[in-house]
């Protein structure tokens, strides 16, 4: 008998993708929608998303409307309503800044990028309480001239969304999303940065370039000790702790963390702070570098998925000796109910060093397929982790893939597709434009799998 909760591909009446992924996958009561762009997948950007006169119609707004219409039709085909059923939303915006040099200096602000045209369109399609949100800039998307890519998770379990305002002492978001959204046993916390700024533009200017940062998130510039990334991580997690408590949760029940940083060199300091907050039972975690953050001075953004403190579900951390131990402070995966949340996957060993055979030999530069080899290595480890978590690699439902330069995308995605003869996972792919935390790794995977009862 077919399991009614098992992953089902959703193929709505929208432009069909060129790559081997499903527009959306429904599993249990969740719907995972692939990253949507304003493309017809024939010519590039769809003609109706190209302004006839850029002085009269904003290009970002026009593409955003196309994407929102696509999301609306996709979710409707799965029995969901874009207006109220989305619990988590990601917005990826390609931009030329910050430069690699800026990231290395701790500057993660994408100078000149504005998202108000997108937000105005979003507010037409998604009503309050709006989903927990992450919006970051990246280097490039897989369709030329695409200005935005959006992917979402929707929940259709019959529960009503409960949005929670920022508690006292935590600044309310300026972009109109919910700091916390509860659906049944689950609480989704939006991406938070280490700011306490709530002033007007003039006040911000008078405070100087770092004026958006909370005082508690700054080190003393007049002494030679302190760690910017650690104090910013500490402050951001303290904000998330307050928001979680206001929504009926706590960080001890964190299931998955999405963490965005600038330069990979900030990873070590982030991890030191992480160990203080999640000493014994850390959540699954993916840390993505070269992310442009929307508040000047911020070096880190953190979003969390939690279980409510009164949830009937339970958290189980998954470990197996058949895959490398994580090189930093996270489990291989966390299992809750019908879902397995995997920590970041790169083609490395437990030391955070690239595995053997993952690059072309320097004396044979024409030989080998590093994208294929690294993807095969990662998926071998993923298969072992899935088995330890009570599922199979074929049950992966959501994939986000972050490529360094995108050079090896074609052979990487070919290898990926070969592991999924049935339902192909929902997928979002982007270029971050620089070396990953593991030198030599050309891709990082962020995955969620369905676990049968």
């Amino acid at each position: 008998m077919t399991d009614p909760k098992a992953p089902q591909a959703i193929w709505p009446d929208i432009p069909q993708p060129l790559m081997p992924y499903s527009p959306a996958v429904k599993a249990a009561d969740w719907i995972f929608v692939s990253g949507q762009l304003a493309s017809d997948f024939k010519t590039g950007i769809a003609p109706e998303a190209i302004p006839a006169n850029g002085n009269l119609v904003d290009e970002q707004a026009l593409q955003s409307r196309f994407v929102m219409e696509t999301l609306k039709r996709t979710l409707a085909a799965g029995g969901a309503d874009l207006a109220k059923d989305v619990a988590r939303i990601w917005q990826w915006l390609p931009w030329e800044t910050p430069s690699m040099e800026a990231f290395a200096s701790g500057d993660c602000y994408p100078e000149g990028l504005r998202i108000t045209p997108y937000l105005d369109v979003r507010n037409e399609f998604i009503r309050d309480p709006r989903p927990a949100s992450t919006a970051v800039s990246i280097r490039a998307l897989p369709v030329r001239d695409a200005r935005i890519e959006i992917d979402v998770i929707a929940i259709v379990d019959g529960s009503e969304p409960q949005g929670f305002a920022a508690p006292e002492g935590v600044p309310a978001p300026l972009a109109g999303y919910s700091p916390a959204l509860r659906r049944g046993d689950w609480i989704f916390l939006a991406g938070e940065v280490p700011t306490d700024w709530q002033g007007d533009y003039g006040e911000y200017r008078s405070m100087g370039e770092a004026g958006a940062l909370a005082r508690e998130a700054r080190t003393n510039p007049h002494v030679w000790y302190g760690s910017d990334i650690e104090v910013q991580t500490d402050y951001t997690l303290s904000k998330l702790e307050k928001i979680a408590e206001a929504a009926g949760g706590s960080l001890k029940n964190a299931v998955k963390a999405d963490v965005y940083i600038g330069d990979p060199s900030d990873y070590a300091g982030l991890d030191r702070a992480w160990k203080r907050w999640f000493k014994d039972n850390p959540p699954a975690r993916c840390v993505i570098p070269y992310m442009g953050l929307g508040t000047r001075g911020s070096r880190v953004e953190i979003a969390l998925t939690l279980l409510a403190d009164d949830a009937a579900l339970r958290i189980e951390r998954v470990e197996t000796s058949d895959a490398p131990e994580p090189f930093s402070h996270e489990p291989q995966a966390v299992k809750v109910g019908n879902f397995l949340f995997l920590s970041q996957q790169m083609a490395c060993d437990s030391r955070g060093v690239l595995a053997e055979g993952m690059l072309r030999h320097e004396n044979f530069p024409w030989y080998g397929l590093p994208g294929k080899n690294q993807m095969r290595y990662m998926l071998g480890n993923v298969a072992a982790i899935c088995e330890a978590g009570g599922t199979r690699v074929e049950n992966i439902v959501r994939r986000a893939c972050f490529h360094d330069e995108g050079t090896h995308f074609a052979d990487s995605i070919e290898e990926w597709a070969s592991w999924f003869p049935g339902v192909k996972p929902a997928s979002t792919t982007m270029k971050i434009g620089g070396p990953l935390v593991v030198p030599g790794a050309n891709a990082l995977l962020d995955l969620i799998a369905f676990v049968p009862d």
Side-chain angles (χ1 to χ4, degrees):
M1 181 180 295
T2 303
D3 182 354
K5 294 183 178 181
Q8 305 171 45
I10 298 172
W11 290 91
D13 181 19
I14 61 172
Q16 300 303 296
L18 296 174
M19 290 293 104
Y21 62 85
S22 302
V25 174
K26 184 176 183 180
D29 298 319
W30 291 29
I31 300 175
F32 304 87
V33 181
S34 292
Q36 299 296 321
L37 307 102
S39 177
D40 58 9
F41 294 113
K42 295 177 181 177
T43 63
I45 298 300
E48 57 266 44
I50 299 173
N53 184 338
N55 295 322
L56 304 179
V57 180
D58 185 90
E59 184 179 33
Q60 186 188 89
L62 204 57
Q63 291 196 21
S64 298
R65 186 171 300 281
F66 185 99
V67 171
M68 283 292 165
E69 291 285 2
T70 302
L71 288 169
K72 182 178 179 179
R73 293 199 297 276
T74 302
L75 287 170
D81 184 349
L82 173 63
K84 68 179 183 64
D85 289 328
V86 175
R88 183 77 170 89
I89 185 169
W90 290 264
Q91 295 106 159
W92 312 99
L93 300 120
W95 202 246
E96 61 270 17
T97 61
S99 65
M100 292 296 113
E101 292 76 14
F103 279 128
S105 70
D107 180 4
C108 300
Y109 188 66
E111 194 70 56
L113 177 60
R114 296 291 182 267
I115 65 169
T116 299
Y118 158 70
L119 293 175
D120 290 341
V121 173
R122 179 206 64 183
N123 293 348
E124 293 180 35
F125 284 83
I126 303 178
R127 65 172 182 250
D128 285 327
R130 295 193 179 92
S133 173
T134 295
V136 292
S137 76
I138 43 85
R139 192 59 75 221
L141 294 170
V143 175
R144 188 185 301 275
D145 297 326
R147 301 303 177 209
I148 189 167
E149 182 172 17
I150 304 173
D151 60 304
V152 306
I153 296 174
I155 296 178
V156 286
D157 61 357
S159 67
E160 288 296 316
Q162 294 177 268
F164 294 86
E168 185 177 354
V170 176
L174 301 178
Y177 55 81
S178 301
L181 188 86
R182 179 167 180 174
R183 292 298 303 267
D185 283 346
W186 295 90
I187 298 172
F188 299 86
L189 302 187
E192 286 290 334
V193 291
T195 176
D196 64 358
W197 172 61
Q198 298 185 76
D200 61 21
Y201 181 66
E203 179 184 350
Y204 169 71
R205 292 291 293 174
S206 69
M207 293 169 68
E209 288 300 302
L213 286 181
R215 294 189 183 279
E216 298 90 336
R218 306 182 201 179
T219 55
N220 188 334
H222 305 295
V223 296
W224 61 359
Y225 56 83
S227 167
D228 290 331
I229 185 62
E230 287 186 63
V231 296
Q232 289 200 20
T233 302
D234 281 333
Y235 184 77
T236 303
L237 286 170
S238 72
K239 289 172 65 179
L240 287 164
E241 182 177 51
K242 294 182 179 73
I243 296 168
E245 290 171 354
S250 56
L251 297 196
K252 67 181 176 62
N253 284 327
V255 173
K256 171 70 188 306
D258 302 323
V259 184
Y260 309 96
I261 61 173
D263 195 76
S265 62
D266 271 343
Y267 193 102
L270 164 79
D271 208 45
R272 287 192 294 271
W274 206 262
K275 290 174 182 177
R276 294 194 289 268
W277 282 86
F278 301 101
K279 183 177 180 181
D280 298 318
N281 297 301
R285 183 179 66 169
C286 288
V287 182
I288 318 300
Y290 307 120
M291 296 286 104
L293 305 181
T295 302
R296 193 183 299 275
S298 298
R299 299 174 81 127
V300 64
E301 180 172 329
I302 304 170
L304 295 174
T305 301
L306 317 170
L307 275 186
D309 286 348
D310 61 357
L313 297 172
R314 292 292 175 262
I315 293 173
E316 176 185 343
R317 285 168 178 84
V318 175
E319 296 180 1
T320 176
S321 59
D322 292 328
E325 294 181 6
F327 57 81
S328 51
H329 194 58
E330 64 269 343
Q332 290 169 322
V334 172
K335 176 183 174 183
V336 179
N338 287 122
F339 294 106
L340 183 71
F341 300 83
L342 285 85
S343 291
Q344 60 200 3
Q345 294 294 317
M346 286 175 278
C348 64
D349 60 22
S350 59
R351 301 169 299 161
V353 175
L354 196 71
E356 292 186 10
M358 296 295 109
L359 296 176
R360 293 189 177 109
H361 192 286
E362 61 181 4
N363 293 328
F364 303 97
W366 293 3
Y367 296 88
L369 293 171
K372 182 182 286 286
N373 294 341
Q374 292 196 22
M375 184 59 70
R376 183 183 299 123
Y377 178 88
M378 287 189 285
L379 286 174
N381 294 331
V382 168
I385 296 168
C386 285
E387 184 176 354
T391 188
R392 301 177 301 159
V393 69
E394 294 92 334
N395 282 330
I396 291 172
V397 290
R398 180 183 185 269
R399 164 196 191 260
C401 188
F402 302 87
H403 287 270
D404 57 349
E405 295 293 344
T407 307
H408 302 293
F409 170 76
D411 52 312
S412 173
I413 195 70
E414 181 180 344
E415 176 65 24
W416 167 267
S418 71
W419 287 69
F420 301 94
V423 174
K424 302 250 187 299
S427 180
T428 301
T429 303
M430 66 212 71
K431 169 184 168 181
I432 60 174
L436 291 163
V437 171
V438 174
N442 57 47
L444 182 154
L445 292 175
D446 178 2
L447 305 172
I448 302 174
F450 168 76
V451 180
D453 290 332

